[in-house]
């Protein structure tokens, strides 16, 4: 089955810096890669996703890149702000009519003012 | 806005008890999911349901069962609770139409088994 590894487990940056979180997956057939953000005590929420037929997707300060050959994908956050502090989870899925996500272990991002 | 409601935020039960965790969504979603979240392990899929009365095992189904009698409600059942089932449980739902539909999560139930 699919296995997703996520690094780093914790990441501390200064406000305004960029942050990069990386994930690798094992099943080359996986074709959908979402990123979820979970603030302390709150529910996970989708922030961006990418399909395997796309190499990069951007939404304001966040972007995701996908390298299918190397089987890794990354989340990039530019101009970080304190409200970006949260746990971020990557996931991978082979969509076959329903979405069975395999999540990474999470990255705790701390943005200091 | 999608609303996924889990019946309890905190629950304390004893070893050997049968435990029911309830999840209700108000968006007529076909797909529903149960995860457990543990520090350092991320979210792991226990069971999912792609429609009423349909269920599929996820990655860690042992010790759990589920029930989906109505479209809006998905129940997770711990048949005989054990201490290693102490965890945060998250329910999610999703519209079935397409791979890029997001899963919408509930606030979670923090379950302690004593």
């Amino acid at each position: 089955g699919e296995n997703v590894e996520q690094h780093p487990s914790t990441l501390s940056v200064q406000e305004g810096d960029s942050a990069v979180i990386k994930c690798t997956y094992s099943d080359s057939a996986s074709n959908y890669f979402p990123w979820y953000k979970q603030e302390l005590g709150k529910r996970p929420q989708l922030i961006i996703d990418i399909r395997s037929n796309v190499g990069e997707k951007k939404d304001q300060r966040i972007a995701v890149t996908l390298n299918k050959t190397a089987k890794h994908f990354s989340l990039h956050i530019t101009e970080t702000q304190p409200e970006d502090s949260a746990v971020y989870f990557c996931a991978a899925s082979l969509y076959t009519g329903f979405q069975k996500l395999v999540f990474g272990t999470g990255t705790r991002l701390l943005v200091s003012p | 806005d999608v609303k996924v409601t889990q019946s309890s935020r905190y629950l304390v039960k004893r070893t050997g008890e049968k435990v029911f965790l309830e999840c209700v969504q108000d968006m007529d979603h076909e797909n529903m999911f149960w995860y457990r979240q543990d520090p350092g392990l991320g979210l792991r899929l226990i069971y999912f349901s792609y429609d009423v009365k349909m269920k599929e095992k996820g990655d860690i189904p042992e010790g759990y069962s589920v029930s989906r009698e109505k479209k809006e409600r998905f129940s997770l059942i711990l048949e005989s609770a054990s201490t290693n089932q102490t965890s945060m449980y998250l329910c999610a739902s999703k519209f079935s139409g397409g791979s890029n539909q997001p899963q919408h999560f509930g606030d979670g139930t923090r379950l302690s088994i004593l």
Side-chain angles (χ1 to χ4, degrees):
Chain A
E2 176 65 276
N3 182 53
V4 177
E5 294 190 359
Q6 182 172 349
H7 300 280
S9 57
T10 58
L11 180 59
S12 294
V13 300
Q14 292 293 122
E15 184 176 0
D17 288 349
S18 294
V20 181
I21 303 170
K22 299 182 179 181
C23 290
T24 60
Y25 60 98
S26 61
D27 188 349
S28 57
S30 288
N31 57 8
Y32 175 65
F33 307 92
W35 286 88
Y36 282 79
K37 175 184 179 183
Q38 187 178 28
E39 296 177 32
L40 189 63
K42 296 191 176 181
R43 63 187 71 184
Q45 292 195 302
L46 179 74
I47 55 171
I48 195 166
D49 57 12
I50 193 167
R51 288 180 166 183
S52 58
N53 59 349
V54 176
E56 183 174 357
K57 184 175 178 181
K58 193 172 181 180
D59 183 3
Q60 299 183 333
R61 296 187 298 108
I62 61 173
V64 57
T65 58
L66 172 65
N67 183 325
K68 285 191 296 181
T69 303
K71 290 188 286 186
H72 68 69
F73 56 113
S74 300
L75 178 71
H76 304 254
I77 306 173
T78 58
E79 300 171 28
T80 54
Q81 300 167 3
E83 51 265 38
D84 294 329
S85 296
V87 178
Y88 292 81
F89 293 98
C90 63
S93 169
L94 169 61
Y95 185 75
T96 56
F98 40 81
Q99 189 188 84
K100 184 183 172 185
L101 294 176
V102 177
F103 282 86
T105 51
T107 296
R108 183 174 299 277
L109 174 65
L110 177 61
V111 181
S112 303
Chain B
D1 200 18
V2 176
K3 186 77 173 174
V4 179
T5 303
Q6 295 183 230
S7 52
S8 305
R9 287 301 302 271
Y10 300 94
L11 204 55
V12 180
K13 296 292 182 181
R14 298 217 171 265
T15 304
E17 280 191 72
K18 190 169 187 176
V19 180
F20 293 84
L21 303 183
E22 306 287 347
C23 176
V24 176
Q25 50 92 5
D26 67 354
M27 281 302 293
D28 205 34
H29 286 167
E30 292 84 2
N31 302 162
M32 296 188 75
F33 308 82
W34 274 107
Y35 296 91
R36 64 177 282 175
Q37 182 175 14
D38 299 289
L41 296 178
L43 282 73
R44 293 179 292 165
L45 182 64
I46 305 171
Y47 266 96
F48 64 101
S49 168
Y50 48 93
D51 212 335
V52 178
K53 296 191 184 294
M54 310 301 282
K55 60 185 179 184
E56 292 283 340
K57 292 180 179 179
D59 298 317
I60 52 165
E62 296 79 17
Y64 303 94
S65 63
V66 290
S67 174
R68 184 109 181 261
E69 295 297 316
K70 293 185 177 182
K71 193 173 187 179
E72 68 271 18
R73 186 179 297 271
F74 191 35
S75 303
L76 179 69
I77 305 157
L78 285 66
E79 298 291 343
S80 177
S82 64
T83 55
N84 63 10
Q85 293 178 308
T86 291
S87 186
M88 170 68 86
Y89 290 87
L90 288 165
C91 174
S93 73
K94 170 188 170 296
F95 176 58
S96 66
S99 66
N100 60 343
Q101 296 293 323
Q103 292 190 20
H104 298 270
F105 285 85
D107 286 328
T109 295
R110 187 166 293 281
L111 175 64
S112 296
I113 307 297
L114 304 180

